[in-house]
Amino acid sequence: MDTNWSVRLDPETRTLGARTATRLRELIRDGVLAPGSRLPAEPELARRLGVSRPTLRAAVTELIGDLLLVRRRGIGTFVSATPRPAHGLERLTGTGRGLALLGHRPGTTGLRVRHVLADPALAAVLRVDPGTPVVHLTRTRTADGVPVTHCAEWVPAGLLPEPTALDTFGAEDSLHDRLAALGLPLRQAVTRLVPVVPDADLRERLALASDAPLLLLEQRHFPAAPGDRVALFSRHWYDTGRIDLQLLRRG
Amino acid sequence: MDTNWSVRLDPETRTLGARTATRLRELIRDGVLAPGSRLPAEPELARRLGVSRPTLRAAVTELIGDLLLVRRRGIGTFVSATPRPAHGLERLTGTGRGLALLGHRPGTTGLRVRHVLADPALAAVLRVDPGTPVVHLTRTRTADGVPVTHCAEWVPAGLLPEPTALDTFGAEDSLHDRLAALGLPLRQAVTRLVPVVPDADLRERLALASDAPLLLLEQRHFPAAPGDRVALFSRHWYDTGRIDLQLLRRG
């Protein structure tokens, strides 16, 4: 119990509630809060974490939703006895937020934003006509400074309020957050999982020492309503030697 | 509309409700029931499929759960406008049922059931002591006769009513169904996704023509309650060139 429980200041995660949830995840991941153990009483835990009780309560609710904590009525809140992934691929989040949920510091290198015209293959995937203007982003995502996934992303320009709306997209920005702010929330994605051998370009971008296969996630993202247009198509090449990709499946 | 809509007799799927659901999936997959279109009225559709209305209703409810159909109150039931995978990895099912949901005829070759003692690595994964008796199954699963995944599965013998309870396990059997019947329902699984280069054994079992990478699913299966023991650990090596692995992610 000598561990410093305090919530750390981390400019990558925005609200104090999010930082509190991250700190609790770390304490669980590191075993300071042991599987199956009962959380300290709320006033005590809030004091140790250095946050208010409402802030703590919001973070605890988030971790219950992630199955990391279990509330037993009249008894207390417990760390799940069965370790589960804090963030599984079944939950749709942006890559940066996904890395943060796993306790990593997310980063971006080599960001490029371009305007292209959809070739027939891309047009079919995006369900637009060939030749339709598309905003194309490429970037490499890092976890604690180490490259873990290279991303190529395509957004039909016609879905944006202005075709240039993503021209100011920066290395610190979240595409999920930005698209939501532009009226294109990404609520569902259909993801195809394909193991692939990295080519020379991917080996360089991810600084790979071998040609061990990568896991490609090909994703079509949809706004809320069924039948909506494809708001984002993305390809993410993950080095699973550097980051575990897990999934919680429920029957 | 000349398509024969009738539910086919298929000994692999057991109940008429399941066969009806499979037939509807096929009609959607083949575009006979077009994306976004309204289903025929229940009496008409039941007549075309050659099943009773209650049987049809159960199948429709199942497909609504799979997001293939959408019910609009007071209007009718529609085929989802956005094609979605009938079966995503986010839903936990046995491999045979998963293949059937995709419209394939599942099969099994090379089944072996052995009794082994857990080595330290397996013991850690199963959360048992090294040397604990474990039932080990190996088999190759086929879709329409083509090998698509090789499976290695381990069940702690001590969790079974009798250590020999799986000795009669047959090529047509479902391990999920069998374990449920033995009091070990598999309700959640934590799945790790790892791209791997096939070794000579896997190349032979899956009749692979190349050494293109496979997708390994490493899965720990848990009964209902959090904190339960690991009921099944499995490794499935999928040839994604032969079968698409998809996932529906929700925000």
Side-chain angles (χ1 to χ4, degrees), chain B residues 91-106:
Chain B
R91 288 274 294 273
L92 179 61
T93 67
T95 307
R97 180 162 154 73
L99 293 172
L101 286 173
L102 286 168
H104 296 290
R105 182 174 46 81

PDB file of all heavy atoms in Angstrom, chain B residues 91-106:
ATOM      1  N   ARG B  91     -19.759 -11.852 -31.170  1.00  0.00           N
ATOM      2  CA  ARG B  91     -20.718 -12.793 -30.600  1.00  0.00           C
ATOM      3  C   ARG B  91     -20.016 -14.125 -30.402  1.00  0.00           C
ATOM      4  O   ARG B  91     -19.393 -14.652 -31.332  1.00  0.00           O
ATOM      5  CB  ARG B  91     -21.904 -12.997 -31.552  1.00  0.00           C
ATOM      6  CG  ARG B  91     -22.835 -11.811 -31.623  1.00  0.00           C
ATOM      7  CD  ARG B  91     -23.899 -11.832 -30.534  1.00  0.00           C
ATOM      8  NE  ARG B  91     -24.818 -12.940 -30.678  1.00  0.00           N
ATOM      9  CZ  ARG B  91     -25.925 -12.910 -31.423  1.00  0.00           C
ATOM     10  NH1 ARG B  91     -26.239 -11.836 -32.083  1.00  0.00           N
ATOM     11  NH2 ARG B  91     -26.704 -13.965 -31.499  1.00  0.00           N
ATOM     12  N   LEU B  92     -20.124 -14.692 -29.207  1.00  0.00           N
ATOM     13  CA  LEU B  92     -19.468 -15.964 -28.928  1.00  0.00           C
ATOM     14  C   LEU B  92     -20.364 -17.117 -29.357  1.00  0.00           C
ATOM     15  O   LEU B  92     -21.468 -17.269 -28.840  1.00  0.00           O
ATOM     16  CB  LEU B  92     -19.145 -16.076 -27.434  1.00  0.00           C
ATOM     17  CG  LEU B  92     -18.475 -17.386 -27.006  1.00  0.00           C
ATOM     18  CD1 LEU B  92     -17.131 -17.576 -27.701  1.00  0.00           C
ATOM     19  CD2 LEU B  92     -18.304 -17.427 -25.492  1.00  0.00           C
ATOM     20  N   THR B  93     -19.888 -17.876 -30.324  1.00  0.00           N
ATOM     21  CA  THR B  93     -20.587 -19.106 -30.706  1.00  0.00           C
ATOM     22  C   THR B  93     -19.523 -20.163 -30.931  1.00  0.00           C
ATOM     23  O   THR B  93     -18.339 -19.853 -31.067  1.00  0.00           O
ATOM     24  CB  THR B  93     -21.369 -18.962 -32.037  1.00  0.00           C
ATOM     25  OG1 THR B  93     -20.413 -18.795 -33.103  1.00  0.00           O
ATOM     26  CG2 THR B  93     -22.314 -17.779 -32.021  1.00  0.00           C
ATOM     27  N   GLY B  94     -19.932 -21.414 -30.999  1.00  0.00           N
ATOM     28  CA  GLY B  94     -19.015 -22.456 -31.413  1.00  0.00           C
ATOM     29  C   GLY B  94     -18.661 -22.259 -32.879  1.00  0.00           C
ATOM     30  O   GLY B  94     -19.376 -21.569 -33.616  1.00  0.00           O
ATOM     31  N   THR B  95     -17.536 -22.853 -33.301  1.00  0.00           N
ATOM     32  CA  THR B  95     -17.075 -22.664 -34.681  1.00  0.00           C
ATOM     33  C   THR B  95     -18.088 -23.202 -35.688  1.00  0.00           C
ATOM     34  O   THR B  95     -18.358 -22.556 -36.707  1.00  0.00           O
ATOM     35  CB  THR B  95     -15.718 -23.376 -34.870  1.00  0.00           C
ATOM     36  OG1 THR B  95     -14.831 -22.910 -33.856  1.00  0.00           O
ATOM     37  CG2 THR B  95     -15.133 -23.088 -36.233  1.00  0.00           C
ATOM     38  N   GLY B  96     -18.657 -24.384 -35.392  1.00  0.00           N
ATOM     39  CA  GLY B  96     -19.613 -24.984 -36.325  1.00  0.00           C
ATOM     40  C   GLY B  96     -20.820 -24.091 -36.519  1.00  0.00           C
ATOM     41  O   GLY B  96     -21.249 -23.824 -37.649  1.00  0.00           O
ATOM     42  N   ARG B  97     -21.342 -23.574 -35.405  1.00  0.00           N
ATOM     43  CA  ARG B  97     -22.505 -22.679 -35.510  1.00  0.00           C
ATOM     44  C   ARG B  97     -22.124 -21.388 -36.230  1.00  0.00           C
ATOM     45  O   ARG B  97     -22.895 -20.874 -37.040  1.00  0.00           O
ATOM     46  CB  ARG B  97     -23.065 -22.378 -34.121  1.00  0.00           C
ATOM     47  CG  ARG B  97     -24.261 -21.456 -34.158  1.00  0.00           C
ATOM     48  CD  ARG B  97     -25.098 -21.491 -32.878  1.00  0.00           C
ATOM     49  NE  ARG B  97     -25.808 -20.235 -32.691  1.00  0.00           N
ATOM     50  CZ  ARG B  97     -26.863 -19.850 -33.405  1.00  0.00           C
ATOM     51  NH1 ARG B  97     -27.350 -20.635 -34.330  1.00  0.00           N
ATOM     52  NH2 ARG B  97     -27.437 -18.674 -33.192  1.00  0.00           N
ATOM     53  N   GLY B  98     -20.922 -20.889 -35.958  1.00  0.00           N
ATOM     54  CA  GLY B  98     -20.467 -19.682 -36.640  1.00  0.00           C
ATOM     55  C   GLY B  98     -20.417 -19.885 -38.152  1.00  0.00           C
ATOM     56  O   GLY B  98     -20.853 -19.019 -38.913  1.00  0.00           O
ATOM     57  N   LEU B  99     -19.904 -21.040 -38.587  1.00  0.00           N
ATOM     58  CA  LEU B  99     -19.845 -21.316 -40.025  1.00  0.00           C
ATOM     59  C   LEU B  99     -21.247 -21.452 -40.603  1.00  0.00           C
ATOM     60  O   LEU B  99     -21.524 -20.960 -41.702  1.00  0.00           O
ATOM     61  CB  LEU B  99     -19.034 -22.599 -40.272  1.00  0.00           C
ATOM     62  CG  LEU B  99     -17.538 -22.509 -39.943  1.00  0.00           C
ATOM     63  CD1 LEU B  99     -16.881 -23.884 -40.048  1.00  0.00           C
ATOM     64  CD2 LEU B  99     -16.845 -21.514 -40.871  1.00  0.00           C
ATOM     65  N   ALA B 100     -22.151 -22.098 -39.855  1.00  0.00           N
ATOM     66  CA  ALA B 100     -23.531 -22.255 -40.331  1.00  0.00           C
ATOM     67  C   ALA B 100     -24.202 -20.886 -40.464  1.00  0.00           C
ATOM     68  O   ALA B 100     -24.937 -20.632 -41.418  1.00  0.00           O
ATOM     69  CB  ALA B 100     -24.318 -23.147 -39.382  1.00  0.00           C
ATOM     70  N   LEU B 101     -23.924 -19.974 -39.508  1.00  0.00           N
ATOM     71  CA  LEU B 101     -24.511 -18.631 -39.568  1.00  0.00           C
ATOM     72  C   LEU B 101     -24.048 -17.890 -40.816  1.00  0.00           C
ATOM     73  O   LEU B 101     -24.755 -17.029 -41.336  1.00  0.00           O
ATOM     74  CB  LEU B 101     -24.134 -17.826 -38.323  1.00  0.00           C
ATOM     75  CG  LEU B 101     -24.852 -18.205 -37.026  1.00  0.00           C
ATOM     76  CD1 LEU B 101     -24.263 -17.437 -35.852  1.00  0.00           C
ATOM     77  CD2 LEU B 101     -26.346 -17.933 -37.131  1.00  0.00           C
ATOM     78  N   LEU B 102     -22.837 -18.201 -41.291  1.00  0.00           N
ATOM     79  CA  LEU B 102     -22.321 -17.566 -42.500  1.00  0.00           C
ATOM     80  C   LEU B 102     -22.861 -18.240 -43.759  1.00  0.00           C
ATOM     81  O   LEU B 102     -22.510 -17.861 -44.865  1.00  0.00           O
ATOM     82  CB  LEU B 102     -20.793 -17.596 -42.508  1.00  0.00           C
ATOM     83  CG  LEU B 102     -20.089 -16.623 -41.551  1.00  0.00           C
ATOM     84  CD1 LEU B 102     -18.611 -16.946 -41.433  1.00  0.00           C
ATOM     85  CD2 LEU B 102     -20.268 -15.186 -42.037  1.00  0.00           C
ATOM     86  N   GLY B 103     -23.703 -19.275 -43.562  1.00  0.00           N
ATOM     87  CA  GLY B 103     -24.303 -19.940 -44.716  1.00  0.00           C
ATOM     88  C   GLY B 103     -23.507 -21.124 -45.230  1.00  0.00           C
ATOM     89  O   GLY B 103     -23.777 -21.628 -46.312  1.00  0.00           O
ATOM     90  N   HIS B 104     -22.484 -21.562 -44.446  1.00  0.00           N
ATOM     91  CA  HIS B 104     -21.675 -22.706 -44.868  1.00  0.00           C
ATOM     92  C   HIS B 104     -22.177 -23.988 -44.207  1.00  0.00           C
ATOM     93  O   HIS B 104     -22.824 -23.960 -43.161  1.00  0.00           O
ATOM     94  CB  HIS B 104     -20.216 -22.506 -44.474  1.00  0.00           C
ATOM     95  CG  HIS B 104     -19.564 -21.339 -45.147  1.00  0.00           C
ATOM     96  ND1 HIS B 104     -19.276 -21.331 -46.486  1.00  0.00           N
ATOM     97  CD2 HIS B 104     -19.166 -20.145 -44.662  1.00  0.00           C
ATOM     98  CE1 HIS B 104     -18.720 -20.175 -46.798  1.00  0.00           C
ATOM     99  NE2 HIS B 104     -18.644 -19.430 -45.711  1.00  0.00           N
ATOM    100  N   ARG B 105     -21.800 -25.128 -44.812  1.00  0.00           N
ATOM    101  CA  ARG B 105     -22.058 -26.421 -44.216  1.00  0.00           C
ATOM    102  C   ARG B 105     -20.803 -26.804 -43.424  1.00  0.00           C
ATOM    103  O   ARG B 105     -19.749 -27.020 -43.998  1.00  0.00           O
ATOM    104  CB  ARG B 105     -22.326 -27.443 -45.332  1.00  0.00           C
ATOM    105  CG  ARG B 105     -22.656 -28.857 -44.854  1.00  0.00           C
ATOM    106  CD  ARG B 105     -23.052 -29.744 -46.052  1.00  0.00           C
ATOM    107  NE  ARG B 105     -22.139 -29.602 -47.174  1.00  0.00           N
ATOM    108  CZ  ARG B 105     -20.948 -30.226 -47.258  1.00  0.00           C
ATOM    109  NH1 ARG B 105     -20.534 -31.011 -46.302  1.00  0.00           N
ATOM    110  NH2 ARG B 105     -20.182 -30.042 -48.328  1.00  0.00           N
ATOM    111  N   PRO B 106     -20.900 -26.816 -42.075  1.00  0.00           N
ATOM    112  CA  PRO B 106     -19.704 -27.100 -41.268  1.00  0.00           C
ATOM    113  C   PRO B 106     -19.386 -28.588 -41.225  1.00  0.00           C
ATOM    114  O   PRO B 106     -20.279 -29.427 -41.306  1.00  0.00           O
ATOM    115  CB  PRO B 106     -20.095 -26.596 -39.880  1.00  0.00           C
ATOM    116  CG  PRO B 106     -21.577 -26.678 -39.831  1.00  0.00           C
ATOM    117  CD  PRO B 106     -22.089 -26.537 -41.247  1.00  0.00           C
TER     118      PRO B 106
END
